[in-house]
Amino acid sequence: MSHLLHRSVNGAYPVAVGGKGVMLFDAEGKSYIDASGGAAVSCLGHGHPDIVAAMHAQIDKLAYAHTSFFTSEPAEELAEHLIARAPKGLSTVFICSSGSEAIEACLKLARHYFIEKGESRRTNFISRRQSYHGITVGALSVGGRMKDRAPFKEMLLTGHHIAPCYAYRDQRTDETPEQYGLRVADELEAKILELGADTVAAFVAETVVGATLGAATPAPGYFKRIREICDRHGVLLILDEVMCGMGRTGTLHACEQEGIAPDLMAIAKGLGAGYAPIGAMLVAGKIVAAIRQGSGAFPHSQTYNGHPLACATALAVQKVIERDDLLANVRLQGAHLERRLKERFGNHHHVGDVRGRGHFWGIELVADRASKTPFEASLKLNARIKQAAMARGLMVYPMGGTADGVSGDHVLLAPPFIADAAVMDTIVERLGEAVDAAIADAL
Ligand code: PMP
């Protein structure tokens, strides 16, 4: 019996013992294609020799130095690297150890900024229903997946939610994608006015929605309108690119494809590619300037901020992605994956939607295509698909429908950026078999 507190306390998990490229191996000798990069993390695949070498080199020099005494070369270099490639206006980086921590930092810095500016009435945060921003209490408070929030609701901060941008289910037949995008974006303005513009600190959203909606891309013009609304009311825009950022959608930042820049941005997973636990918050120059003119400090630090080994690892990951032009591969092989998925699932009786960008794709499963009726949650189709895929040597990231919304089960794919066409073909073949087997088993 394991003494580890696993996600499922009674669950039995295979023991992962090794990895090479796109493959993971368990203790029984079984191999799996890591088609989800864990949870969209392992963008360079496993056992990359250049990353392993960079980690060895750094650990030989210095593993740790506390940020209240020192800065470090890897942390400074990583910050410089990130800012040189950051969306317009972002000037400064805060380095932590996870996506949840990056979101917490964004929320607290947004609040701190308004205190520095003398706008201390701005305490409200607005986010979207059916969203996930992390598991710590602050991040969970802005999250909009009610089943995650329910057990802890008394502990959470008040969160205000508007509709997600989720065209498959919410776009009306009499609307163009652009009209739909503007309609849902305008919900933000209505919510700001309802709460009182001078009470709202920030709006938080994932640029391309990962875990909760399975790679749901924003409608054209949606984020441009969101940016305008935030600017009009002095509200900060926080983009959560923990999952969709750092190259996952084919550009370094997903927001580049929307033509906007946030005031605060959270990144994590692909930043360290799973070789080290690391996350970061990117901060707009105007926020840093307000602190400089005000108290001079952001009272928020943790023991492992700017961890030298984690930073050296992330820097090596980012340099390899650039050196090997892997985002070009993401765009090329992403288009191939899209074609294959649409061939396999485009006319599938139980697949309502195939959506995504780059190496970030989702399929949404439905009991009935015409009415878009989801499968009964009690069938636990997502768990069955996961199991059927693992049995076929494939790791995918299936999620159940959200109890508070209308979305059904979906499967998220986030293959490593190094995946070639043959890997994509095998992923789709095995996924097709797993989906069919799981549905046959459930019905
Ligand atoms: N935001 C998003 C969009 C995520 O997908 C996740 C993790 N799935 C988080 C935040 C939280 O990141 P972490 O699990 O590293 O705390």
Side-chain angles (χ1 to χ4, degrees), residues 266-329:
I267 55 175
K269 299 171 186 280
L271 175 60
Y275 289 87
I278 186 165
M281 162 175 71
L282 273 55
V283 185
K286 69 173 183 186
I287 297 177
V288 181
I291 299 176
R292 215 168 258 137
Q293 282 155 24
S295 70
F298 174 40
H300 179 87
S301 72
Q302 286 178 287
T303 303
Y304 293 124
N305 285 159
H307 190 277
L309 179 58
C311 291
T313 308
L315 186 61
V317 167
Q318 297 311 313
K319 284 185 172 170
V320 166
I321 289 174
E322 214 163 88
R323 181 196 72 194
D324 296 351
D325 203 9
L326 290 179
L327 298 196
N329 194 56

Side-chain angles (χ1 to χ4, degrees), residues 98-100 132-134 206 240 242-243 269:
S98 70
S100 299
Y132 181 75
H133 296 295
E206 236 187 314
D240 180 344
V242 166
M243 193 180 251
K269 299 171 186 280

Side-chain angles (χ1 to χ4, degrees), residues 35-37 40 214-215 248 337 341 345 355 357-363 394-398 411-415 424 427-428 431:
S36 59
R248 178 56 56 202
L337 177 61
L341 286 170
F345 297 110
R355 56 186 172 237
R357 257 181 213 167
H359 279 202
F360 202 39
W361 283 87
I363 61 170
L394 182 72
M395 286 167 57
V396 293
Y397 199 67
V411 178
L412 186 64
L413 294 175
M424 295 305 194
I427 290 172
V428 176
L431 178 62

Side-chain angles (χ1 to χ4, degrees), residues 20-24 32-48 246-248 270 273 275 321 326-327 329-331 333-334 337 358-360 394-395 413-421 423-424 427:
K20 194 79 207 143
V22 300
M23 305 303 292
L24 268 177
Y32 306 82
I33 299 181
D34 189 358
S36 59
V41 174
S42 303
C43 59
L44 270 188
H46 302 275
H48 197 297
M246 301 317 289
R248 178 56 56 202
Y275 289 87
I321 289 174
L326 290 179
L327 298 196
N329 194 56
V330 170
R331 292 188 290 270
Q333 299 307 338
L337 177 61
H359 279 202
F360 202 39
L394 182 72
M395 286 167 57
L413 294 175
F417 300 173
I418 54 171
D420 60 17
V423 168
M424 295 305 194
I427 290 172

